[in-house]
Amino acid sequence: MGGEDRIVEMRHITKRFPGVTANDDISIEIRRGEIFAVLGENGAGKSTLMSMLFGMYEPDEGEIYVRGEKVRLSSANAAAALNIGMVHQHFTLVQNYSIAENIILGMEPMKKIAGLLPCVDLKSAEKRIRELSRSYGLEADPREIIEDANVSTRQRVEILKMLYREAEILIFDEPTAVLTPQEIEFLLDIMRELRNKGKTIILITHKLEEIKRIVDRCAILRRGKLVKVLEVAGASTQEMANLMVGREVSLVHEKKPPRFRDTVLEVEGLTVRNEHKFEVVKNVSFSVRGGEIFAVAGVFGNGQTEIADAIAGLIKPYRGRILLKGKDISSEKIRGRTEAGISYIPEDRQRYGLVLDFTLADNLAVKNYYRFPFSEHGVLRESGFREFAERLIEEYDIRSGQGSAALVRSMSGGNQQKAIVAREISLGSDLLIFVQPTRGLDIGAIENIQRQILEERDRGKAVLLISLELDEVMNLADTIAVIYNGELLNVSPAAELDTRQVGEYMMGIRS
Ligand SMILES: Nc1ncnc2c1ncn2[C@@H]1O[C@H](COP(=O)(O)OP(=O)(O)O)[C@@H](O)[C@H]1O
Ligand SMILES: [Mg+2]
């Protein structure tokens, strides 16, 4: 590789924060015109490493070279001067300004004009934005007010903003986290187009599929250290996953053919209204059998959480009936429903699933502390709590600093989630409701929890899975329902649907 090709070099970079070495002696080279990925689990040090490239932090040790010259990137302006830009996920756009105003905001010549943006500059800016927009396939109307623009448009504005500033090196930090499957497609196309036009792209991600599809080379970080840099074309997702986690992981689960049993859950004409009397769930009916994973797919905010909450008894429906094994439980309270046979793994695990300042042992018993072995003649038995916790810790591989005595607040998100799953499964309920069970978790923890879900299904339990992750739905479900705007658009056996079709229903396209 000649010096010309190396647009960025980071040599022996170390960055420490109190109590953690976020980057430990990392050296990488990025080539001009490539899509380079930085892959790693949560906390691996990806964002920290790239933040030093766009001037957010300076390294404690090591050197950065841009186009062969040693540089000091002490601010975002210093990075911009070297044509390095960060495409932020959100929060950097001003709501009541137009797209064009947002794009020119903060540019040097503009700063001199106090307050108002002069029309003449705005006109030429709009023209330039239209040109860039056309040339890179980045659809955006410069006059649209940001408030009215959706997430995907806002992201395009962030990209246009960088292009307007003549960025040559564009850094994207987990850009697809907020997008629907179709929007992800568009973004990947845009990245390809940017590369074709000679830009260098750095993509921070933990999603292997995206890497496989558009990335040229990929650096894998684990616990602050560089594990490997590889050519993506010659590597499998399995290999990358193993390197990322540091052990063999199973990406695709062995799934036995389903053996459906009797109907466990029946939902009839469920309608839920929000506080503004708006119907967020509209006359929804479905049923789930024992041995079945029934998944509700959909974009965030289409009523799926409300369905789960209404079944678990957290909210009161406006209309409709809920039957568990033929018995109408619509008027039961939460505890009554738990006792009737419902386990619930909520979306907001820290608010509803756990008591953060209690120990792990207390949290594992929190739903049936009033029963043996936790209580006897109305007295709590400490040994009961501890022994039960130790069994679950072992069985479900829940890791904490101090075993059953650890405060839940001190545990990682993945281990908190394993604790909830362990507790809810241990109730032995006929119906398990999982809402976003792997949200924000690492591959290792995702693998563990998805395996538990499949095991419960194979044991004959009815599973209602609510997930925004299309991959998860496709991997686990026996039956897929797609929710859009509070309505179930389609309910079909998983084998009859592919990712594209489900993605289309998620966007409200009815075939
Ligand atoms: N500003 C900060 N202050 C203290 N610790 C931080 C800060 N930013 C990141 N860290 C820590 O550094 C490590 C790496 O974080 P980060 O670079 O954000 O990882 P990633 O982007 O791979 O998820 C983590 O342990 C994180 O908690
Ligand atoms: Mg990050």
Side-chain angles (χ1 to χ4, degrees):
M1 185 167 67
E4 266 298 284
D5 285 328
R6 243 175 276 153
I7 193 159
V8 172
E9 269 183 85
M10 301 181 93
R11 287 194 198 156
H12 302 293
I13 299 287
T14 293
K15 177 74 191 170
R16 297 182 198 93
F17 291 116
V20 54
T21 303
N23 292 152
D24 187 357
D25 191 19
I26 295 181
S27 299
I28 53 171
E29 299 175 352
I30 297 165
R31 297 173 192 162
R32 185 186 301 275
E34 75 174 340
I35 302 183
F36 185 90
V38 181
L39 172 70
E41 296 201 295
N42 289 329
K46 309 180 292 292
S47 296
T48 303
L49 184 66
M50 288 307 138
S51 301
M52 289 183 276
L53 255 194
F54 68 86
M56 190 166 142
Y57 303 125
E58 288 194 78
D60 295 327
E61 286 162 39
E63 293 156 359
I64 299 176
Y65 294 76
V66 175
R67 299 177 196 89
E69 307 245 340
K70 187 170 163 181
V71 295
R72 239 197 93 191
L73 299 166
S74 52
S75 66
N77 281 339
L82 290 166
N83 309 86
I84 302 173
M86 165 77 192
V87 176
H88 291 279
Q89 222 168 60
H90 28 229
F91 306 134
T92 69
L93 301 174
V94 185
Q95 292 291 342
N96 55 348
Y97 276 26
S98 73
I99 287 180
E101 285 167 337
N102 266 285
I103 289 173
I104 57 179
L105 195 72
M107 295 272 293
E108 279 316 313
M110 286 294 134
K111 275 193 185 151
K112 297 195 183 87
I113 304 145
L116 294 171
L117 299 162
C119 324
V120 57
D121 280 301
L122 199 54
K123 279 248 165 61
S124 60
E126 284 175 1
K127 183 162 166 278
R128 176 89 187 109
I129 292 163
R130 286 210 175 83
E131 284 164 11
L132 286 170
S133 165
R134 211 171 309 123
S135 137
Y136 288 93
L138 284 156
E139 202 186 304
D141 171 5
R143 300 233 167 133
E144 189 179 3
I145 304 298
I146 281 297
E147 225 168 351
D148 304 327
N150 63 23
V151 179
S152 159
T153 307
R154 288 173 196 217
Q155 195 172 51
R156 291 196 291 274
V157 174
E158 291 284 359
I159 301 172
L160 282 166
K161 195 167 159 180
M162 288 305 124
L163 295 172
Y164 193 86
R165 286 161 174 65
E166 298 179 337
E168 272 186 44
I169 303 166
L170 290 96
I171 305 166
F172 292 77
D173 194 348
E174 312 255 3
T176 60
V178 292
L179 304 179
T180 65
Q182 267 77 358
E183 289 168 344
I184 293 175
E185 289 302 311
F186 290 137
L187 180 65
L188 298 187
D189 284 344
I190 290 165
M191 288 186 178
R192 282 194 197 97
E193 194 54 34
L194 289 164
R195 174 181 55 189
N196 293 345
K197 296 219 157 61
K199 305 289 181 188
T200 304
I201 311 261
I202 301 171
L203 171 64
I204 301 172
T205 186
H206 62 265
K207 296 191 180 170
L208 299 161
E209 278 311 309
E210 286 163 16
I211 293 192
K212 205 56 205 159
R213 293 187 43 200
I214 59 160
V215 170
D216 300 303
R217 291 187 317 130
C218 165
I220 300 170
L221 303 190
R222 190 166 72 230
R223 293 188 191 160
K225 292 199 164 72
L226 178 69
V227 181
K228 195 168 183 171
V229 178
L230 44 76
E231 298 275 345
V232 174
S236 65
T237 45
Q238 183 67 59
E239 189 182 342
M240 292 191 279
N242 294 348
L243 287 168
M244 173 165 126
V245 180
R247 62 175 171 83
E248 275 293 313
V249 289
S250 54
L251 290 179
V252 184
H253 296 276
E254 291 281 324
K255 199 170 150 205
K256 296 182 195 141
R259 284 183 38 234
F260 298 138
R261 305 185 186 189
D262 293 342
T263 298
V264 172
L265 173 72
E266 285 164 277
V267 173
E268 294 176 356
L270 182 70
T271 299
V272 177
R273 285 181 161 189
N274 67 10
E275 66 268 34
H276 309 296
K277 303 235 179 331
F278 180 78
E279 291 192 357
V280 289
V281 177
K282 297 171 185 158
N283 194 26
V284 161
S285 301
F286 62 92
S287 59
V288 187
R289 293 162 284 186
E292 176 177 19
I293 297 177
F294 185 101
V296 178
V299 177
F300 175 78
N302 274 282
Q304 56 272 70
T305 319
E306 285 82 359
I307 292 182
D309 285 350
I311 298 170
L314 270 67
I315 54 175
K316 207 172 135 32
Y318 176 66
R319 220 185 290 118
R321 289 208 309 163
I322 294 155
L323 292 94
L324 194 71
K325 292 175 285 176
K327 186 173 158 251
D328 190 339
I329 56 159
S330 310
S331 52
E332 293 282 354
K333 296 258 185 308
I334 301 175
R335 191 192 277 188
R337 296 189 196 204
T338 307
E339 288 180 348
I342 297 180
S343 280
Y344 184 58
I345 291 92
E347 175 163 27
D348 192 339
R349 59 187 77 114
Q350 301 207 327
R351 263 180 77 197
Y352 299 110
L354 296 164
V355 188
L356 294 179
D357 290 315
F358 280 15
T359 62
L360 177 55
D362 288 345
N363 270 281
L364 290 171
V366 86
K367 283 220 169 156
N368 40 15
Y369 64 88
Y370 50 88
R371 289 210 195 119
F372 193 79
F374 310 116
S375 297
E376 198 171 18
H377 314 303
V379 181
L380 295 179
R381 299 174 67 242
E382 211 217 297
S383 61
F385 278 71
R386 200 181 51 242
E387 284 156 22
F388 178 74
E390 278 161 10
R391 182 163 68 75
L392 261 52
I393 288 171
E394 171 76 30
E395 230 174 274
Y396 292 86
D397 185 30
I398 307 167
R399 293 180 213 167
S400 70
Q402 298 132 296
S404 65
L407 287 186
V408 163
R409 185 181 292 286
S410 72
M411 294 164 53
S412 73
N415 283 295
Q416 291 181 351
Q417 184 71 340
K418 283 190 214 164
I420 297 179
V421 169
R423 178 186 72 207
E424 295 298 318
I425 289 179
S426 74
L427 294 173
S429 310
D430 297 299
L431 172 67
L432 293 145
I433 304 173
F434 289 89
V435 185
Q436 287 272 75
T438 60
R439 185 177 55 117
L441 305 187
D442 290 332
I443 286 200
I446 292 174
E447 176 201 24
N448 178 300
I449 284 164
Q450 292 186 340
R451 191 165 38 73
Q452 304 290 349
I453 295 174
L454 283 171
E455 278 177 23
E456 290 308 300
R457 165 234 200 210
D458 292 341
R459 268 194 207 118
K461 307 291 185 185
V463 176
L464 175 62
L465 169 69
I466 305 223
S467 179
L468 309 181
E469 293 295 331
L470 197 46
D471 285 346
E472 179 161 86
V473 168
M474 301 312 289
N475 253 329
L476 299 179
D478 298 305
T479 309
I480 298 176
V482 184
I483 190 161
Y484 178 76
N485 205 5
E487 286 178 76
L488 288 192
L489 287 196
N490 184 287
V491 180
S492 313
E496 292 173 13
L497 290 168
D498 61 29
T499 310
R500 240 186 73 86
Q501 290 166 308
V502 178
E504 279 176 5
Y505 282 118
M506 282 169 65
M507 295 180 78
I509 301 165
R510 299 161 202 247
S511 40

